[in-house]
Amino acid sequence: MPNIRDIAKRAGVSVTTVSRVMNDHPYVKEEKRERVLSAMKELKYTRNIQAVHLAKGYSNMLGIVLPTIDHSYFSGIVTGIAEKAQECGMHFALFQTGYDPLKEKEALMSLKEQRVDGLIFCSNALSDRDILKWQESGPIIFCHPTPHDPCSSVSIAHDQAFKEALEHLAACGHERIAIVLARTEGENSQVRIQTYQEMMRSLGQDIDDEWVIEGKLTIFDGKQLFTEWKEMKNRPTALLITNDDVSAGFLLEAQRHQINVGESPAILGFQNDQLSEALGISSIDIPLKQMGQEAFDLFKQALQGEAPEKRVLSYRLVERTTTILKNNR
Amino acid sequence: MPNIRDIAKRAGVSVTTVSRVMNDHPYVKEEKRERVLSAMKELKYTRNIQAVHLAKGYSNMLGIVLPTIDHSYFSGIVTGIAEKAQECGMHFALFQTGYDPLKEKEALMSLKEQRVDGLIFCSNALSDRDILKWQESGPIIFCHPTPHDPCSSVSIAHDQAFKEALEHLAACGHERIAIVLARTEGENSQVRIQTYQEMMRSLGQDIDDEWVIEGKLTIFDGKQLFTEWKEMKNRPTALLITNDDVSAGFLLEAQRHQINVGESPAILGFQNDQLSEALGISSIDIPLKQMGQEAFDLFKQALQGEAPEKRVLSYRLVERTTTILKNNR
DNA sequence: ATGAAAGCGCTAACAT
DNA sequence: ATGTTAGCGCTTTCAT
């Protein structure tokens, strides 16, 4: 592989001039520029991007941290990030953690080593605060609400959405409501559980321990959830499920058992992807792609030294067939 | 950020010694090693990975080329690759092309620029041959059969699987069979169409132009496919669908129209993911994760200078409810 | 065992 | 406008 010196020699100019040509600097005489360009063509020259990065002090590479790419929630966010990144000619690497804090630490190490210029966390097992300690090495963006920390984040108003979801189920006449959480929530799940408890109190409904269900993420988990639901002694009449792959699994398994979902059990999901639409699942729509795009925006802003910013995106309740309003409003 | 020279100074040794400590070289006196290590700790030193890469001449980074990550087929492969990559401490970047040859070229450029050490193509719009011209810059692995080129690839025996799928539909008593292809196939789709034509000939069945359908990839496409199917004048009684998201969309839309899928129409999918299982779709199982793993294997092999290798993985037909055998075998 | 010094390939400040 | 040169931070050869 020829390097910049070979080109300079061949074109009869200095390396600086070659560098100038490559970086579109002004002050290069047309004639020399041409000589350089044809030398590059003749030798099939390509710059060594690593050398560029070392000299410039950045990597032009973004790290995306997520538990797994094999789930539509995360691939939805990544799609949004990727779109924007591509526009700026920025590349990105994926760090799959499987919710393992050690893997998250490795991603943070990659930031410190300058393998990446910044990180977007789509989900984290480590606490936000622990992660933010690494900010001095580069921008860090979260994809969940971060009310208590000075940092950039983008998300929907999870608590509010969660509350509205519960209210919807209540408006459908349900009092015995269960909630199903993924492991994604981390710090937020406490808030959710609290919101849930308050709502149930206001409905005058005691909560059965079985009604707070955690660790459900996939279609398979959803199928299993249905089975668990069927076997509960104190069966809830409605389930608020924070991920639609799980809702889908639940619904499909119910259908297989000839059980009609809508009146009871009712289910209300979160995410609203193609699948929920195809299955007619009532769901809180989360604009994942937009989240990704704005996360990237925030990242770029941070790179340019702007102050942290928190963006809250709007969500909306999409009523379909798995919840049925009472008293036709 | 302190650099290796700062550490050397602080520890009272040469940079070489520091480098030796970092790279676990022998021939470093225990005492000096300790001094170096504690100097690193005190200054919170981290190596600059870009400098390491420039000096060593590689990037420790793999590029994965795919149309979109937001589809279970591709995220399945990536999951397999990622698993193996993580084991070797190798990182990876995603190149999303949207089937755009120009984007593929950019990925190839990244290989030449040494941003990545190699590329795994999960799908390509450019011809295999065009892509392989870039091999001198680093290993390139394909995830589809490449019988005619000297290169590494891993895949199932697509043609054979396709043929077996058609035979299965024939064994179910179907003669009016349509095929539905994604855009993924590229060069392979010609072969498939040929296989299809032969099979239909042997069934003594003329092919309607409407029976070869291309460009279907998502659940939404599948729903649309159902609508198109319903409106055909010369309606096929079975559809061979090369992607299960499409099958799922078709099935769900059929159910919404109270149409029972199984006898007629029958559908047979490819991929067999959680969704096809949950919906009871008959499908040719493709071991995506394994494909990813082996693709990475081949990549590592190639890095080590081994000769190209083609691996063919086994598939299997999973019969569920959307195809029903005649004459109970 | 240890260190000096010459790379790796590029950028950019400075001089002209 | 163009060139000289000193970096960027690390590895590695060669000498001691």
Side-chain angles (χ1 to χ4, degrees), chain A residues 3-4 16 19 23 45 47-48 52:
Chain A
N3 62 24
I4 196 174
T16 314
S19 175
N23 295 286
Y45 172 77
R47 70 189 164 169
N48 178 321
V52 176

Side-chain angles (χ1 to χ4, degrees), chain A residues 42-57:
Chain A
E42 286 163 32
L43 300 183
K44 296 189 183 177
Y45 172 77
T46 309
R47 70 189 164 169
N48 178 321
I49 202 74
Q50 314 214 53
V52 176
H53 291 331
L54 175 59
K56 296 217 187 202

Side-chain angles (χ1 to χ4, degrees), chain B residues 34-88:
Chain B
E34 308 247 304
R35 287 225 305 274
V36 168
L37 288 174
S38 60
M40 299 207 293
K41 212 153 257 169
E42 286 162 30
L43 299 182
K44 298 189 181 172
Y45 172 78
T46 309
R47 69 187 166 170
N48 179 321
I49 202 76
Q50 313 212 54
V52 176
H53 291 331
L54 174 59
K56 296 214 187 201
Y58 59 69
S59 66
N60 202 32
M61 184 104 182
L62 163 67
I64 305 179
V65 185
L66 33 66
T68 169
I69 189 61
D70 203 11
H71 191 288
S72 58
Y73 181 88
F74 300 109
S75 60
I77 300 180
V78 170
T79 298
I81 298 174
E83 210 167 86
K84 285 286 181 183
Q86 196 152 52
E87 284 174 19
C88 321

Side-chain angles (χ1 to χ4, degrees), chain B residues 68-112:
Chain B
T68 169
I69 189 61
D70 203 11
H71 191 288
S72 58
Y73 181 88
F74 300 109
S75 60
I77 300 180
V78 170
T79 298
I81 298 174
E83 210 167 86
K84 285 286 181 183
Q86 196 152 52
E87 284 174 19
C88 321
M90 187 113 195
H91 293 81
F92 64 95
L94 254 40
F95 292 88
Q96 296 198 103
T97 63
Y99 298 105
D100 179 355
L102 258 66
K103 298 273 169 60
E104 291 181 8
K105 215 147 222 162
E106 282 175 27
L108 291 164
M109 256 324 245
S110 281
L111 177 61
K112 182 136 194 261

Side-chain angles (χ1 to χ4, degrees), chain A residues 222-253:
Chain A
K223 295 207 291 185
Q224 203 173 289
L225 175 65
F226 175 80
T227 310
E228 289 168 19
W229 173 79
K230 268 203 78 177
E231 287 170 359
M232 286 187 189
K233 315 138 226 153
N234 190 12
R235 210 144 65 191
T237 62
L239 296 95
L240 174 53
I241 302 176
T242 60
N243 182 280
D244 269 343
D245 272 27
V246 180
S247 322
F250 185 95
L251 176 59
L252 290 171
E253 192 66 9

